[in-house]
Amino acid sequence: MKVQIPIGPQHPALKEPIGLRMTVEGEVIHDADLRLGYNHRGVEKVAEGRSYIQNLYLTERICGICSHSHSTTFAQGAEILFEIVPPKRGQFLRYLVSELERVHSHLLWLGVAGHEAGFDSFFMYVWRDREIVMDILEMISGNRVHYAINTIGGVRRDIDEAQRTKILDLLAVLRARTSFYLNLGTTEPSFVGRLAGVGYLSKEDAMSLCAVGPTARASNVPRDVRKDDPYGIYDEVPFEVCTADTCDVLGRTVVRIKEVLQSYDIMEYLLRNLPAGPVAVKAPRRPKPGEIVSRYEAPRGENIHYIKSNGTDKPERLKVRAPTLGNYAATIAMLKKGFIADIPLIFAAIDPCICCAERSVELVDSRSGRPSVVRWSELRRMAGRRAARDSKKRNVEWPL
Amino acid sequence: MLKRLVRWSRIKSPWILHLNSGACNACDIEIVAALTPRFDLERLGVLLKATPRHADVLVCSGPVTRQMKDRLIRIYEQTPDPKFVVAVGACAMSGCVYRGSYNILGGIDQVIPVDVYVPGCPARPDAILDGVVKLLGKL
Ligand code: SF4
């Protein structure tokens, strides 16, 4: 007998509002359906009414965990439209913050994964060490989460020599702690037992479902924008793309810890080779008309911004494709044939950032359109059914 | 006597439910950070609960999207009396950068009564701590 269980939007396993609808038979999940839109704030529409500088702060607030990713993606695109190039030192500092953000995001995830696996002391330990990263970020930018360090044409703040050495010292501490976690995460038998084999996503599926970021890399797909299409300074920084071939949650854990270690290397390189000079150039008031697509490897995967300018001081259109959106299709594949008890773990393993994914009105369209390669008819039916259901439920109370 | 006992236990162990009504996640991770070793809200007896039926205090963040409005009211109604609401972040107070968007209501207090506001975008964990302590002081 098949039973449908709704989960969410407010549910202990999910930190953000999202609805899941599982069709289960006994303990085994047969089908999964995501119900989205609880976190839709209309950011893209708001962006059309703000100037480029204001939009930097707005895009930063698309998501709190990868805030710097969104504002950097936007700034990279805008800088091309404004026809300016940020100075070397500004770029180094910008991507230094990027890597710090990657570390903070991955440590955060690692803690959450420990929590979902029932290893709460691991969670507390990791979050304690994460505070070191937050301290560094606060020292560089003045804020813990929304750093607001980007500006069009560079960064807003410089660091001095004392701060530079301080950061290098703190990085050494972090590196020691992270190696300890890598060791623990891969050898502690109960932890490994809980994670291994859960949420299997084969390499072929990861490719055909367009998985991005650590989810794809854990299925042995070496996909990383920093290597594939280097932006900023990444073509001169030595680093490796970390992959794993276990295709499960354990692989995703290992990939993230290894990436954190790579990030330490990148940051050390950036700090040791920090060039002298100004950190920003002045941007003209208005950009040239045109359109641009900007790509960036956020902690969760590839982040794409499309900006269309009509020559005024406000963008005509901003479209954001956040990494979590790319991973939804893969999540459904992972959930199938899994157990109910594994839902939080599998779901947490893509490191979902619902607020990232939900600013665009076309969300439903893009979802049913994306996995067309695999099960077009099936998803069409699901989407149609959902549209029918939702139109009745939709809140009709509009302003004006 | 019984009243004093109830009051004492209420102050000593306020259990909280964390509710995201469309926030950008930054406030949420700061709420979780407030519960972890550096700031350790748990030493005040605060415990993060998973269901509104166990909670005394709703810690809400976010500007309340139209989709979440009904859910927010429902969760508020499911919480047993007496209940308190802490609004964390500029969004929860007034809508922050999203103010003026078609899909948000602009603040928790547009939907349910709020006892304590914690400003900041995002509110620092220390500020959240302070907000909770102020709430406990009010009881
Ligand atoms: S107040 Fe700021 S940090 Fe908090 S949810 Fe709103 S935008 Fe995000």
Side-chain angles (χ1 to χ4, degrees):
Chain A
M1 195 187 64
K2 289 190 179 161
V3 186
Q4 276 211 343
I5 328 181
I7 296 181
Q10 171 68 22
H11 186 266
L14 316 165
K15 254 169 234 71
E16 293 171 275
I18 185 168
L20 293 171
R21 191 165 284 254
M22 306 285 167
T23 312
V24 296
E25 199 172 329
E27 269 282 287
V28 182
I29 303 166
H30 270 253
D31 205 353
D33 186 13
L34 290 172
R35 296 156 63 76
L36 311 165
Y38 297 103
N39 211 338
H40 171 65
R41 287 154 294 168
V43 171
E44 291 179 4
K45 188 72 195 160
V46 174
E48 290 166 18
R50 309 268 163 101
S51 71
Y52 282 89
I53 290 285
Q54 284 173 323
N55 270 331
L56 272 179
Y57 304 105
L58 179 69
T59 46
E60 189 157 58
R61 279 159 183 77
I62 288 175
C63 170
I65 303 178
C66 33
S67 56
H68 188 72
S69 318
H70 284 287
S71 88
T72 308
T73 323
F74 183 79
Q76 278 175 1
E79 273 154 11
I80 297 174
L81 289 174
F82 278 93
E83 295 180 326
I84 47 177
V85 180
K88 240 343 211 272
R89 189 178 175 93
Q91 290 204 11
F92 268 57
L93 289 177
R94 178 182 283 177
Y95 296 109
L96 174 71
V97 176
S98 290
E99 292 305 322
L100 279 168
E101 182 184 73
R102 194 179 315 277
V103 172
H104 117 71
S105 172
H106 281 355
L107 289 183
L108 178 147
W109 179 85
L110 201 59
V112 173
H115 174 72
E116 302 292 5
F119 194 1
D120 254 349
S121 43
F122 188 62
F123 169 58
M124 290 294 178
Y125 268 125
V126 175
W127 276 64
R128 189 193 64 192
D129 295 330
R130 179 176 162 268
E131 288 296 327
I132 302 177
V133 191
M134 304 311 274
D135 285 346
I136 302 180
L137 282 168
E138 190 170 14
M139 183 165 77
I140 296 177
S141 71
N143 202 357
R144 282 167 53 94
V145 176
H146 288 313
Y147 329 111
I149 191 142
N150 275 325
T151 183
I152 292 180
V155 294
R156 284 175 48 239
R157 284 193 181 208
D158 202 355
I159 59 170
D160 60 20
E161 190 51 39
Q163 284 175 324
R164 201 176 72 100
T165 36
K166 179 104 193 284
I167 297 172
L168 281 171
D169 290 348
L170 288 172
L171 284 182
V173 178
L174 278 169
R175 187 189 286 276
R177 299 296 306 172
T178 313
S179 317
F180 170 68
Y181 297 135
L182 180 61
N183 192 16
L184 186 78
T186 46
T187 51
E188 163 68 35
S190 55
F191 194 50
V192 173
R194 181 72 185 88
L195 300 185
V198 173
Y200 185 80
L201 181 75
S202 66
K203 183 171 178 179
E204 292 72 41
D205 278 353
M207 300 270 259
S208 63
L209 294 173
C210 307
V212 291
T215 312
R217 290 197 283 274
S219 294
N220 213 358
V221 183
R223 201 178 266 170
D224 189 326
V225 186
R226 291 178 293 174
K227 266 281 191 267
D228 302 341
D229 180 16
Y231 50 86
I233 40 107
Y234 282 108
D235 45 0
E236 58 184 85
V237 182
F239 73 100
E240 283 166 26
V241 177
C242 311
T243 53
D245 51 10
T246 50
C247 308
D248 55 5
V249 179
L250 182 65
R252 284 162 217 147
T253 312
V254 172
V255 164
R256 284 194 173 92
I257 302 181
K258 279 193 190 156
E259 265 179 36
V260 168
L261 291 169
Q262 286 292 329
S263 285
Y264 296 146
D265 288 345
I266 299 178
M267 282 189 276
E268 266 167 22
Y269 176 88
L270 292 178
L271 284 168
R272 291 196 200 286
N273 298 296
L274 196 62
V279 292
V281 291
K282 198 165 167 2
R285 271 185 65 84
R286 295 205 161 85
K288 295 275 177 307
E291 48 188 358
I292 190 83
V293 170
S294 165
R295 301 169 79 196
Y296 178 94
E297 182 73 21
R300 287 162 184 72
E302 183 181 0
N303 189 5
I304 303 173
H305 280 211
Y306 163 82
I307 311 167
K308 183 166 185 203
S309 146
N310 54 5
T312 60
D313 59 349
K314 293 174 184 156
E316 187 178 320
R317 177 84 173 93
L318 169 69
K319 164 83 189 130
V320 181
R321 198 290 240 127
T324 303
L325 192 62
N327 275 337
Y328 277 149
T331 316
I332 297 195
M334 285 184 236
L335 284 171
K336 281 194 187 149
K337 302 277 170 272
F339 291 109
I340 299 180
D342 294 337
I343 296 172
L345 200 56
I346 296 174
F347 209 71
I350 65 160
D351 202 357
C353 193
I354 286 118
C355 50
C356 264
E358 301 208 342
R359 348 97 335 244
S360 107
V361 199
E362 302 102 328
L363 199 67
V364 177
D365 295 349
S366 53
R367 232 200 92 237
S368 55
R370 174 173 308 282
S372 55
V373 207
V374 257
R375 294 164 40 244
W376 174 244
S377 55
E378 168 75 357
L379 272 156
R380 267 274 282 282
R381 213 191 66 234
M382 268 160 64
R385 204 168 60 212
R386 191 169 73 184
R389 194 166 56 222
D390 276 6
S391 62
K392 274 177 241 122
K393 278 195 181 165
R394 190 175 297 143
N395 207 326
V396 282
E397 197 185 307
W398 291 87
L400 299 177
Chain B
M1 175 62 199
L2 194 65
K3 239 185 180 163
R4 273 185 46 211
L5 181 70
V6 169
R7 193 171 147 264
W8 173 83
S9 44
R10 195 166 288 148
I11 294 179
K12 288 297 175 195
S13 67
W15 286 3
I16 63 170
L17 173 80
H18 167 214
L19 180 66
N20 176 338
S21 71
C24 80
N25 238 346
C27 279
D28 310 283
I29 57 173
E30 292 296 63
I31 291 169
V32 182
L35 291 162
T36 50
R38 165 80 68 94
F39 300 97
D40 206 6
L41 203 49
E42 289 185 356
R43 74 194 131 110
L44 301 174
V46 173
L47 199 60
L48 188 65
K49 290 314 276 186
T51 132
R53 294 184 206 281
H54 295 170
D56 305 302
V57 182
L58 294 181
V59 179
C60 302
S61 59
V64 189
T65 58
R66 282 175 193 280
Q67 275 266 32
M68 276 309 278
K69 179 184 157 208
D70 300 339
R71 278 91 187 169
L72 184 60
I73 295 173
R74 192 144 104 223
I75 286 168
Y76 183 72
E77 280 166 357
Q78 282 177 352
T79 317
D81 273 329
K83 50 197 163 194
F84 307 95
V85 178
V86 181
V88 175
C91 273
M93 299 170 74
S94 65
C96 196
V97 281
Y98 317 114
R99 202 171 176 85
S101 164
Y102 55 86
N103 206 34
I104 67 156
L105 297 166
I108 302 282
D109 54 3
Q110 306 290 322
V111 184
I112 55 174
V114 174
D115 297 272
V116 176
Y117 295 91
V118 181
C121 182
R124 286 180 60 92
D126 355 11
I128 299 171
L129 213 62
D130 189 45
V132 173
V133 170
K134 288 230 169 77
L135 176 73
L136 297 183
K138 260 179 33 176
L139 295 185

